[in-house]
Amino acid sequence: GQPVRLYVKGALVGYKGSKVNQYHHTSLVKVQGLADSKDGDFYLGKRVAYVYKGKNSKRNPRTGEQSNLRVIWGRVTRTHGRSGVVRAKFRSNLPPKSLGGTVRIMLY
């Protein structure tokens, strides 16, 4: 039947920060359709993927196909504030170019 999307879209809002400092190891993600922090508890522990295009195509070691798409994986760690924003930590810190971009929050 109908294809099923296994992820929810989110937007990278910025890094976690205080009045003076900015902490790059934690990113803030605004989840699409999320209005308050109580609903955000559902996403705790879910995997997050930041998909981007690289300059050169690389071979996928598992499937052997060439692609210039790359992924940085992370996890939702906790909610942030009251308006549907969650914190996520990625395996490697996200580059500044990613801010304002989209991520996929996996529902499995």
Side-chain angles (χ1 to χ4, degrees), residues 81-92:
R82 298 183 300 173
S83 59
V85 176
V86 295
R87 297 182 196 176
K89 284 193 169 223
F90 289 82
R91 282 186 191 156
S92 60

Side-chain angles (χ1 to χ4, degrees), residues 29-60:
V29 178
K30 175 78 176 115
V31 183
Q32 191 178 46
L34 196 61
D36 60 351
S37 61
K38 289 181 183 58
D39 298 339
D41 291 342
F42 168 78
Y43 293 100
L44 300 187
K46 297 279 191 280
R47 286 165 57 101
V48 185
Y50 171 65
V51 181
Y52 64 101
K53 284 186 179 172
K55 183 181 177 190
N56 301 318
S57 64
K58 286 189 167 186
R59 190 180 65 82
N60 183 332

Side-chain angles (χ1 to χ4, degrees), residues 9-80:
K9 288 184 181 178
L12 282 165
V13 183
Y15 300 119
K16 185 179 90 140
S18 62
K19 186 177 177 185
V20 177
N21 297 329
Q22 184 167 270
Y23 300 104
H24 310 109
H25 54 70
T26 306
S27 302
L28 303 179
V29 178
K30 175 78 176 115
V31 183
Q32 191 178 46
L34 196 61
D36 60 351
S37 61
K38 289 181 183 58
D39 298 339
D41 291 342
F42 168 78
Y43 293 100
L44 300 187
K46 297 279 191 280
R47 286 165 57 101
V48 185
Y50 171 65
V51 181
Y52 64 101
K53 284 186 179 172
K55 183 181 177 190
N56 301 318
S57 64
K58 286 189 167 186
R59 190 180 65 82
N60 183 332
R62 196 168 50 83
T63 60
E65 18 178 88
Q66 295 275 111
S67 173
N68 65 342
L69 291 176
R70 318 269 162 81
V71 182
I72 301 176
W73 286 98
R75 252 180 221 286
V76 175
T77 55
R78 54 178 290 185
T79 59
H80 179 88

